[in-house]
Amino acid sequence: MTSMGTNPGISEKKRSEWLKEMSAYLADDYEVTEYGKSRIKTVLFTEEVAPISILSHVWHEYDTYAQALLIWLYELRSHPNSDVRLRVAAVAGHLALYEFRPVYEKVILPWAKLDNESAQKLAALALTIVAVEEDEEIAKQSLNILERWSKLKNSYNLQWTAIAAYGSYIGLLYPQQAIENLKTIAQSGDGRLFPYIVQAVANLFDSAQQISTQHFLILKSLKEWAEPSHQSSLNKLSLIIFWGLMRESWIIKDEVRQPTLLWLAKKDKELEELIIYLMRRGLNLELTRNLILAEIFNWLKLVDKQDSLYKTLGRIIFTLASPGKEYERMSHYLRKYGKDSPTALKILQLIEKYH
């Protein structure tokens, strides 16, 4: 039998020629197998957009390969290289811009349903690619899917994926929808999701340092969640989130590293009122009382070193210590904290003088 490679009647294009036509080249790499590392050759492109262009061409011109392409993308979710997985999610998102339903049904939805956070993050990223599309009707497909998943009950994996999406770029683009649907997920009652909701809201808050309206939106939403008319689990979740912001969210302004909440209170009266409301609610809830008090002490210790924040913190604590139970509580703790913080004693004297 004569091989194709030696048959003079067949003109076969060499690999190097194919690569040249595609503006690509080979590079040494390896893959991890069950036997260990195996050497391979990787195709790299001289232009970043080339892979998307090639896949787009295959998708539009070779219908018989579309199904195989979707299967390939779905299976690449478990590739050991994280960069490869991210590119796979981006490709899925770009293909979904051409035809949403097949990519959603064969790749994105199956990823989201897997009991695997890595795959679910890929689904969230693919939906993000769709959500940022300039064509609003195409972008709405992604937003509608996430809203539908948010309203599902007993669908942990899909709700988890929605949280991952809302806690990243989609949440920055559509903060109102993100906050409303995170609330919906919280109200579904699956406590396993609460830590992820806490992190998603914190991500949105910290990402909003250049968007003051988003800080206001988040704090206003937490105030609404914390109101007594809502179920206790939502109250508790709101105040846990707020405590986390007190503890973890910091910003550098005027060359001073300071808690973001103190900076917001300093610059905006309405934000200060929201912060005081949430602090008061946190002090009135046994679950969060000691946590809030601990952060107040940390703020006092900070102001001992950063006098520029004294007026803001003093005004917050003075307002908290309204006559009655709060006055007694704040006076007690300021007296206790005064052993280690001159600022605590200074504020205590102010409260005792004017209340």
Side-chain angles (χ1 to χ4, degrees):
M1 180 182 292
T2 303
S3 69
M4 292 180 61
T6 58
N7 189 335
I10 297 178
S11 177
E12 185 175 359
K13 188 175 290 188
K14 296 179 181 180
R15 182 171 64 181
S16 58
E17 293 174 331
W18 281 113
L19 292 171
K20 185 177 180 180
E21 287 185 12
M22 295 186 295
S23 298
Y25 60 95
L26 290 178
D28 293 324
D29 202 349
Y30 68 87
E31 64 178 349
V32 179
T33 70
E34 59 182 308
Y35 313 108
K37 291 183 179 180
S38 177
R39 290 181 179 176
I40 60 172
K41 292 288 186 180
T42 301
V43 177
L44 299 177
F45 294 88
T46 56
E47 298 181 13
E48 291 185 6
V49 297
I52 293 294
S53 299
I54 292 170
L55 286 170
S56 173
H57 177 74
V58 172
W59 183 263
H60 288 105
E61 301 294 335
Y62 298 92
D63 292 345
T64 54
Y65 293 114
Q67 183 69 13
L69 180 57
L70 294 178
I71 294 173
W72 178 60
L73 289 174
Y74 170 75
E75 292 179 346
L76 279 173
R77 76 192 184 280
S78 57
H79 194 283
N81 189 312
S82 60
D83 289 338
V84 171
R85 295 197 300 272
L86 291 175
R87 290 198 295 271
V88 167
V91 168
H94 280 289
L95 291 182
L97 295 175
Y98 307 139
E99 287 186 77
F100 186 81
R101 175 174 288 183
V103 181
Y104 171 72
E105 293 179 348
K106 298 296 183 181
V107 181
I108 298 175
L109 180 60
W111 279 348
K113 285 184 174 180
L114 286 173
D115 192 19
N116 182 298
E117 291 184 7
S118 175
Q120 291 161 343
K121 288 178 181 178
L122 297 185
L125 177 56
L127 288 173
T128 300
I129 300 295
V130 178
V132 301
E133 169 62 27
E134 292 183 0
D135 187 324
E136 291 185 6
E137 292 304 314
I138 293 176
K140 280 182 180 178
Q141 296 176 103
S142 176
L143 300 176
N144 290 340
I145 288 296
L146 291 172
E147 185 167 359
R148 184 189 306 169
W149 289 355
S150 300
K151 294 177 179 178
L152 294 174
K153 293 187 177 181
N154 302 317
S155 296
Y156 175 87
N157 290 341
L158 294 181
Q159 287 189 318
W160 193 100
T161 307
I163 294 170
Y166 288 135
S168 55
Y169 195 61
I170 287 182
L172 290 178
L173 288 177
Y174 304 95
Q176 184 71 54
Q177 182 171 335
I179 290 295
E180 289 176 358
N181 287 326
L182 288 171
K183 176 187 175 183
T184 298
I185 295 171
Q187 289 177 312
S188 69
D190 192 335
R192 296 176 297 169
L193 293 167
F194 285 5
Y196 302 108
I197 296 173
V198 171
Q199 187 59 57
V201 176
N203 289 347
L204 292 178
F205 190 83
D206 285 336
S207 299
Q209 291 187 3
Q210 305 302 322
I211 313 172
S212 58
T213 54
Q214 190 157 311
H215 281 134
F216 178 79
L217 170 64
I218 292 171
L219 290 174
K220 185 179 179 181
S221 298
L222 291 180
K223 176 182 181 293
E224 193 262 332
W225 295 9
E227 289 174 357
S229 58
H230 286 297
Q231 63 191 58
S232 62
S233 60
L234 189 61
N235 293 162
K236 294 174 183 176
L237 180 63
S238 170
L239 298 172
I240 286 292
I241 293 172
F242 178 73
W243 164 70
L245 299 182
M246 287 185 71
R247 179 181 175 84
E248 302 293 341
S249 184
W250 291 70
I251 193 171
I252 297 177
K253 290 292 181 180
D254 303 321
E255 300 182 351
V256 175
R257 184 175 181 270
Q258 55 193 291
T260 305
L261 291 173
L262 272 183
W263 172 68
L264 291 172
K266 182 178 180 179
K267 64 178 286 214
D268 190 291
K269 180 65 175 177
E270 196 169 4
L271 287 170
E272 179 183 287
E273 291 174 355
L274 290 172
I275 292 165
I276 290 172
Y277 176 89
L278 287 163
M279 288 179 73
R280 179 173 284 120
R281 290 285 292 147
L283 291 170
N284 287 330
L285 182 68
E286 185 176 357
L287 174 68
T288 53
R289 180 177 302 134
N290 289 334
L291 300 174
I292 299 293
L293 285 168
E295 294 315 312
I296 290 175
F297 177 65
N298 288 335
W299 284 6
L300 288 165
K301 293 291 289 179
L302 173 68
V303 173
D304 287 336
K305 302 174 182 178
Q306 299 288 352
D307 188 64
S308 61
L309 298 171
Y310 169 75
K311 288 184 179 179
T312 303
L313 182 57
R315 190 169 58 246
I316 289 173
I317 296 178
F318 185 88
T319 306
L320 281 173
S322 57
K325 187 175 180 180
E326 292 302 324
Y327 171 81
E328 295 174 0
R329 175 184 292 152
M330 292 310 302
S331 296
H332 168 77
Y333 281 101
L334 287 172
R335 197 169 290 110
K336 177 182 176 181
Y337 297 155
K339 298 176 182 178
D340 301 299
S341 169
T343 302
L345 286 179
K346 190 176 178 181
I347 296 174
L348 175 61
Q349 292 170 358
L350 189 68
I351 291 171
E352 290 178 336
K353 181 178 180 180
Y354 291 101
H355 273 334

